Amino acid sequence: MSLKYLLSALALISSSAFALSISPPSQSGDAKVIIKAELSAPIILEDTQENNYLKISLTGFKQDETEKSPINLSLVIDRSGSMSGDRIEKAREAAIMAINMLKDDDIVSIIAYSDNAYVIIPATKAKNKDAMIKIINDTIKPGGGTALFAGVSKGITEVNKFIKKNQVNRIILLSDGQANVGPSTTKELADLGQVAGKQGIAVTTIGLGNGYNEDLMTALAGFSDGNHAYVENSADLETAFVREFKDVMSVVAQEVVVTIKLQDGVKPVRLLGRDGDIIGNNVTVKMNQLYSNQEKYVLLEVVPPKGKESENKPLAEVSVSYDNLKTHRKDTFNDRVNIGYSKSQQAVKAAVQEEIVVDSAIQKANIENARAIKLLDEGKKDEANKIIQQNAADMDALSGSVNAPAARTKAISGMEANKKLATEVETKDVSSSRKSLKESTYSTEKQQIKK
């Protein structure tokens, strides 16, 4: 991003040995995120040194429907010429549905963009819904280019008018075309997403049809930990909005920071899935939000030190902090993860946490699917499809080798997802299949749950 545009964007901002460890409820009985820190292989053979997987799992507490957190939402809607016909009609319907799902005390703003971006409803409480719906119907009409950067920038400005830590601050961006007015590179939009993310604003991107840039849209969403959806047909747009609103209305925690301090002799290899910082033996991963009854996780591949029979060595110190939207407090969690050693193959096998094994396989398959996208870009469609088909076969084999029901369910789901992707690559045009593949790799990396 040029210095000029970056400064412009910033100016928009107002100012025990291998046992599961669960964060206990507070004395007052307040809900807390369930946190577990565990290894895929908590016992390994003595004098061996194989790669292991440390998983930090965070599951949002159950939220009563009547206790959802306040929402501060900006809808940023493409009204360029390519949105004419059924697309603009469905976009208006989705916006109206969003308005009707908000409580009167929730904050909403609506931005429409074409050659420029226009605030058609400034940030305000969603009380007078009839008036808002009339404005939507009267003003969201197609024509002009796609000033996507300007639209998101104004969305950030509107959200910042009422931004608070104890509410859900979200932008939902809808676009069907290439950004062609103003800043338009993937890096420029990713930088803008980072600006939003630093303020606690998640940007969800919804791509409609096959004309938008999925790399740009996922980069924009990714840097703010938002969702991404590919909607091939405009008739399915309302479904995508409903899915997104279920997430918006179920946020229970924000500003999540997971810190892992590996002990001497433990080598960090890589994070599987979410990005983070690995500096020496210290690993930090941040998440924008957690949802009710949904699991998000950090998965770190490590090489543990060698040990002797019956030894029990500390492997990592884990700490987690997050803002609890129900209690309006910052909760913390601390735990130590140990690793044990044995001469018995049976003891080692019995201790394996199969669900983590499957999680690691899913994330490694996802890396391969990202490689398949590059092959599609090179015109190597058959090679790309072979990778996806192999992923499906591997997940199928894994489902037959695990005994834990949750692990088997995940493996079967991974197999089915890859089979579907392989069919799409084989039967659909490259643009459509690439978007499906990009949506899949993004949602797997971010553990974005499809409802």
Side-chain angles (χ1 to χ4, degrees):
M1 177 186 292
S2 68
L3 179 61
K4 172 184 175 182
Y5 287 123
L6 182 57
L7 291 174
S8 297
L10 290 170
L12 294 170
I13 306 304
S14 61
S15 330
S16 52
F18 44 82
L20 302 189
S21 179
I22 300 178
S23 182
S26 65
Q27 293 292 323
S28 62
D30 293 329
K32 279 196 171 186
V33 172
I34 298 173
I35 304 174
K36 297 185 290 186
E38 55 186 337
L39 287 167
S40 60
I43 301 175
I44 62 175
L45 287 173
E46 71 167 5
D47 291 326
T48 61
Q49 202 169 22
E50 296 181 355
N51 288 22
N52 211 322
Y53 300 93
L54 173 61
K55 179 183 178 182
I56 316 302
S57 168
L58 304 95
T59 303
F61 51 83
K62 184 176 181 180
Q63 180 188 56
D64 191 289
E65 289 291 331
T66 62
E67 295 180 344
K68 75 173 184 64
S69 300
I71 295 170
N72 179 11
L73 172 70
S74 183
L75 297 175
V76 180
I77 299 174
D78 186 349
R79 66 171 185 186
S80 61
S82 59
M83 286 286 291
S84 60
D86 187 57
R87 290 184 178 183
I88 202 69
E89 180 182 340
K90 295 300 181 183
R92 285 194 295 262
E93 290 176 1
I96 291 169
M97 180 211 69
I99 293 291
N100 285 326
M101 291 180 73
L102 294 172
K103 290 185 176 181
D104 287 353
D105 286 339
D106 289 332
I107 304 296
V108 65
S109 58
I110 297 184
I111 317 297
Y113 65 95
S114 52
D115 290 328
N116 207 331
Y118 306 89
V119 180
I120 65 171
I121 297 179
T124 186
K125 289 187 176 182
K127 288 183 176 180
N128 195 346
K129 292 180 171 58
D130 289 341
M132 291 181 177
I133 291 170
K134 185 177 187 306
I135 292 172
I136 290 169
N137 285 323
D138 289 347
T139 59
I140 300 183
K141 300 183 185 299
T146 308
L148 193 150
F149 186 98
V152 177
S153 298
K154 286 189 181 293
I156 294 173
T157 299
E158 292 304 308
V159 171
N160 268 291
K161 288 180 179 179
F162 294 94
I163 197 164
K164 295 177 183 177
K165 292 187 67 174
N166 62 343
Q167 66 186 8
V168 181
N169 303 294
R170 184 73 61 103
I171 293 171
I172 300 178
L173 167 71
L174 169 66
S175 181
D176 77 332
Q178 304 282 332
N180 55 25
V181 178
S184 57
T185 68
T186 297
K187 184 182 184 305
E188 286 170 327
L189 271 297
D191 287 346
L192 186 60
Q194 193 168 23
V195 168
K198 286 181 178 179
Q199 302 303 308
I201 304 170
V203 181
T204 285
T205 59
I206 299 176
L208 178 58
N210 291 327
Y212 73 92
N213 183 330
E214 59 269 27
D215 293 335
L216 182 152
M217 295 282 266
T218 53
L220 174 58
F223 275 97
S224 66
D225 202 21
N227 296 327
H228 170 68
Y230 163 45
V231 180
E232 188 172 7
N233 302 304
S234 55
D236 297 324
L237 189 57
E238 187 170 315
T239 300
F241 266 74
V242 169
R243 184 188 303 127
E244 177 61 19
F245 259 76
K246 285 182 179 179
D247 268 0
V248 171
M249 294 189 293
S250 67
V251 176
V252 296
Q254 296 187 143
E255 295 192 17
V256 183
V257 180
V258 178
T259 304
I260 304 168
K261 184 178 181 180
L262 299 173
Q263 300 300 305
D264 292 340
V266 183
K267 178 184 176 182
V269 178
R270 57 178 173 171
L271 285 161
L272 289 171
R274 293 181 170 275
D275 292 329
D277 296 320
I278 301 178
I279 303 175
N281 271 25
N282 296 306
V283 181
T284 304
V285 178
K286 297 180 180 180
M287 305 180 194
N288 195 304
Q289 61 264 306
L290 297 174
Y291 304 103
S292 175
N293 291 337
Q294 291 188 30
E295 181 195 46
K296 302 285 185 182
Y297 60 81
V298 174
L299 192 59
L300 177 66
E301 186 175 356
V302 299
V303 179
K306 294 180 180 180
K308 296 297 183 181
E309 165 81 14
S310 299
E311 273 193 291
N312 181 32
K313 294 184 178 182
L315 183 130
E317 300 283 347
V318 175
S319 64
V320 180
S321 66
Y322 60 90
D323 290 340
N324 189 318
L325 292 188
K326 183 175 182 180
T327 65
H328 300 170
R329 294 199 301 262
K330 183 172 287 293
D331 291 339
T332 59
F333 164 93
N334 296 283
D335 191 27
R336 171 181 287 181
V337 179
N338 296 338
I339 188 164
Y341 303 83
S342 176
K343 292 180 179 179
S344 168
Q345 288 273 10
Q346 185 176 358
V348 170
K349 183 178 180 180
V352 168
Q353 300 296 308
E354 291 182 336
E355 192 170 352
I356 303 179
V357 173
V358 173
D359 286 331
S360 65
I362 288 172
Q363 290 296 343
K364 284 187 281 189
N366 202 49
I367 293 171
E368 289 299 294
N369 280 345
R371 188 163 68 90
I373 292 176
K374 293 182 180 180
L375 289 171
L376 281 178
D377 293 343
E378 296 169 4
K380 300 174 181 178
K381 182 176 179 179
D382 290 341
E383 290 183 40
N385 206 14
K386 284 180 181 179
I387 288 175
I388 304 168
Q389 289 175 342
Q390 185 61 54
N391 283 338
D394 290 345
M395 297 307 298
D396 189 22
L398 185 57
S399 70
S401 67
V402 295
N403 297 312
R408 186 181 297 111
T409 297
K410 281 188 174 182
I412 292 172
S413 178
M415 177 266 293
E416 291 174 345
N418 278 281
K419 280 187 174 180
K420 180 181 178 183
L421 288 171
T423 298
E424 291 192 354
V425 169
E426 186 175 352
T427 61
K428 292 186 176 182
D429 62 82
V430 171
S431 177
S432 176
S433 57
R434 190 187 192 280
K435 284 174 170 57
S436 292
L437 196 50
K438 189 71 177 183
E439 179 192 40
S440 174
T441 57
Y442 181 87
S443 62
T444 300
E445 176 186 332
K446 297 290 186 181
Q447 300 117 43
Q448 177 184 330
I449 297 176
K450 295 292 186 181
K451 304 178 187 68

